[in-house]
Amino acid sequence: MRLLHTSDWHLGRSFHRESLLDAQAAFLDHLITTVRSERVDVVLVSGDLYDRALPPVEAVRLFDEALHRIHATGARAVLIGGNHDSLGRIDYASGLIDTAGIHVRGSPDHLADPVVIEDGHGPVAFYPVPYLEPDLLRHRWELTERSHEAAMEHAMRRIRADLARRPAHTRSVVLSHAFVTGGSASDSERDISVGGATHVPASLFDGVDYAALGHLHGSQLMRPHVRYSGSPLAYSFSEENHTKGSWLVDLGPGGVTAAEFVPAPVWRPIARISGRIGDLLSEPGWERYTDHWLQVTVTDPVRPTFPMDRLRERFPHTLHLDFAPDGDGEPADRSWAQRVTNRSERELALDFVSWARGADPTEEEQRLLRTAFDDINRREVTR
């Protein structure tokens, strides 16, 4: 049986206010092409189908289209909800959708009720473990502690108990949306910490043939049979060095026989660059970044005037700007108290204008500030 493991679609997400719907649609085109060309039997999506509990209508339409297109290939699909999804909404009409061979699970109540799919070697039980929120499940499941590990231990006990009742040659695949110990995070995953207990050990998945993980946005191998596919697109600049894609996994009679990473198309590359603004705008070496989404850090000792406008003339897709002087400006060892000593409020305001703009205030601006502070002082006296 051939599986295609993907996760963290985050449909409806934007990237620094840039819509990603077209990029997400392009990924889904790639996914469908891969399903057909690689003769995939089952598509696995391990959570965070949407970016928020109430996704925009366009994202819902794109998801609906994706399910129809997967069904049209003849492949089956198993999908679970993640911490960004509304698990109740994800679970809506799942029983009816099952009849089409598309199995969407949001409720933890059904994690030990697998989707069973047969191949030439017998049955494969797919156990859908959506995001498990310890605070919601602690009393319901009578957990001994408030942690993700306790919730996942309980879930895996139920799964193993169900698997033990099945024929001995039954293979098992667990879909889980969790933070496994040792995984490398990025800036775009939502914090799921509960009392500091965020991680679950990879050993919890011992005994299953494959664990298709979601939540972390970088593709990574936790154990030969425990893998993150990562997100199909970069959702933060911290992911600039990620290779995005999906795992193509072959499941033989005794478990995983092969696993190959299938890179996804790059809609628009991202990068973080830094330097003095004059160099960024003139040096030929920066030319290769003109088509990138950019996070730019300007290192001039004095903040340049209109830096974003100037940068976008050369780098039209600059999305985020930081200012980090490279040390040639005011000495860093001066305390705040030393910097404001013997400075009036008006002088501090003028200093701020000079710092923010990189040039002294004009005479008109000085007059306006003087008038404003005089007015404030008069009101303070007459209160």
Side-chain angles (χ1 to χ4, degrees), residues 62-326:
L62 186 58
F63 182 62
D64 178 67
E65 178 186 337
L67 298 187
H68 277 84
R69 294 177 69 187
I70 292 171
H71 173 67
T73 67
R76 304 280 291 274
V78 184
L79 308 90
I80 61 172
N83 58 299
H84 280 248
D85 299 309
S86 167
L87 301 187
R89 291 183 175 89
I90 289 294
D91 222 35
Y92 172 74
S94 59
L96 182 61
I97 299 173
D98 280 349
T99 61
I102 305 293
H103 311 280
V104 185
R105 297 290 185 269
S107 171
D109 295 337
H110 305 297
L111 57 83
D113 299 325
V115 175
V116 179
I117 301 174
E118 299 268 350
D119 68 1
H121 302 293
V124 180
F126 293 85
Y127 291 95
V129 184
Y131 171 66
L132 303 176
E133 173 54 64
D135 281 339
L136 298 179
L137 298 172
R138 183 180 180 186
H139 298 295
R140 181 170 158 192
W141 284 358
E142 299 180 349
L143 302 178
T144 56
E145 61 182 45
R146 177 176 169 257
S147 71
H148 287 274
E149 182 174 353
M152 186 60 72
E153 281 181 343
H154 177 90
M156 291 305 298
R157 279 197 300 270
R158 290 174 55 187
I159 287 171
R160 290 192 175 92
D162 178 82
L163 191 57
R165 293 191 291 267
R166 297 186 177 274
H169 62 286
T170 301
R171 291 153 293 163
S172 56
V173 174
V174 171
L175 290 81
S176 177
H177 195 84
F179 195 149
V180 171
T181 304
S184 178
S186 64
D187 293 342
S188 60
E189 296 105 1
R190 182 176 296 165
D191 182 23
I192 59 171
S193 59
V194 175
T198 305
H199 299 182
V200 302
S203 59
L204 286 178
F205 301 102
D206 288 352
V208 302
D209 291 294
Y210 186 69
L213 302 181
H215 179 59
L216 298 183
H217 289 178
S219 171
Q220 45 205 299
L221 179 69
M222 311 309 298
R223 293 192 175 188
H225 70 295
V226 181
R227 298 168 184 254
Y228 282 100
S229 66
S231 60
L233 302 171
Y235 292 126
S236 73
F237 282 107
S238 66
E239 300 168 46
E240 65 176 327
N241 295 319
H242 287 189
T243 299
K244 301 297 187 179
S246 310
W247 285 109
L248 193 63
V249 178
D250 288 333
L251 203 61
V256 174
T257 59
E260 176 188 356
F261 191 72
V262 182
V266 177
W267 177 257
R268 185 181 296 283
I270 66 170
R272 294 181 286 193
I273 64 175
S274 65
R276 296 196 175 192
I277 196 165
D279 294 336
L280 293 172
L281 296 177
S282 62
E283 291 292 334
W286 299 112
E287 190 66 27
R288 66 184 184 275
Y289 293 108
T290 55
D291 66 337
H292 287 52
W293 274 326
L294 290 180
Q295 175 181 309
V296 181
T297 301
V298 175
T299 62
D300 296 61
V302 176
R303 185 181 293 265
T305 56
F306 307 108
M308 183 64 91
D309 293 339
R310 294 164 64 190
L311 286 166
R312 282 181 171 168
E313 289 181 5
R314 185 178 196 188
F315 309 108
H317 306 291
T318 302
L319 300 183
H320 185 81
L321 177 64
D322 288 321
F323 180 58
D326 59 10

